[in-house]
Amino acid sequence: MTLLEQLNQDMKTAMKNKEKQKLSVIRMVKSSLQNEQIKSGHELSQDDALTVLNRELKQRKDSLNEFEKANRDDLVSNLRDEIAILEQYMPEQLSEDELLDIVKATISEVGATSKADIGKVMGAIMPKVKGKADGSLVNRFVLQQLQ
């Protein structure tokens, strides 16, 4: 089942169960997917859909961080709920050990030896872990290994 089909099915369920917040989040994601499809001019692949979903999740996490710094508890709880809903559609995240193994293997594949090679390493790793790991965590692991 594609992401869009899953969203449509869950949207119907949310409407029946009168889950307003879940319905709102699903509609926002569907809108983002449709906008991306229009922008690209072709049907979105599963990877493209995952990229859009990842972007939506990252925006909310960044907002959550800012709201927590500003002590806006009224907005923090709402965003946490939205993040939880979005995470249901993401693939299972890699554990830190699995991610570290991928980082080490990729560093040896590209022959990286210093921090100057971080671009090569990140370029090779990100397609492998797309949607399965946070980019900032990957970046931190790569930096640790290249020191």
Side-chain angles (χ1 to χ4, degrees), residues 20-125:
K20 290 181 181 182
Q21 185 167 23
K22 186 171 186 175
L23 183 60
S24 173
V25 171
I26 291 171
R27 284 181 172 155
M28 282 189 279
V29 171
K30 279 188 63 176
S31 176
S32 293
L33 288 168
Q34 289 169 340
N35 288 339
E36 188 69 24
Q37 185 173 340
I38 290 168
K39 193 167 80 174
S40 68
H42 60 80
E43 195 72 27
L44 294 180
S45 68
Q46 195 68 11
D47 269 355
D48 295 336
L50 191 59
T51 300
V52 173
L53 190 60
N54 220 2
R55 184 172 50 224
E56 291 290 317
L57 190 58
K58 183 174 179 354
Q59 286 174 351
R60 282 168 179 79
K61 285 182 178 180
D62 291 344
S63 296
L64 178 67
N65 191 19
E66 293 301 315
F67 290 152
E68 285 175 337
K69 286 180 185 175
N71 292 324
R72 292 293 310 266
D73 296 332
D74 54 326
L75 299 172
V76 168
S77 64
N78 189 31
L79 268 177
R80 281 200 177 116
D81 293 342
E82 287 185 18
I83 289 169
I85 292 167
L86 286 173
E87 285 177 339
Q88 294 172 2
Y89 300 102
M90 295 294 291
E92 187 175 330
Q93 298 294 295
L94 295 170
S95 71
E96 289 191 4
D97 292 336
E98 293 170 322
L99 185 57
L100 193 56
D101 291 342
I102 293 171
V103 168
K104 288 177 181 178
T106 306
I107 287 173
S108 63
E109 281 173 24
V110 298
T113 56
S114 69
K115 285 185 179 181
D117 299 324
I118 193 166
K120 286 194 297 188
V121 176
M122 290 298 291
I125 287 180

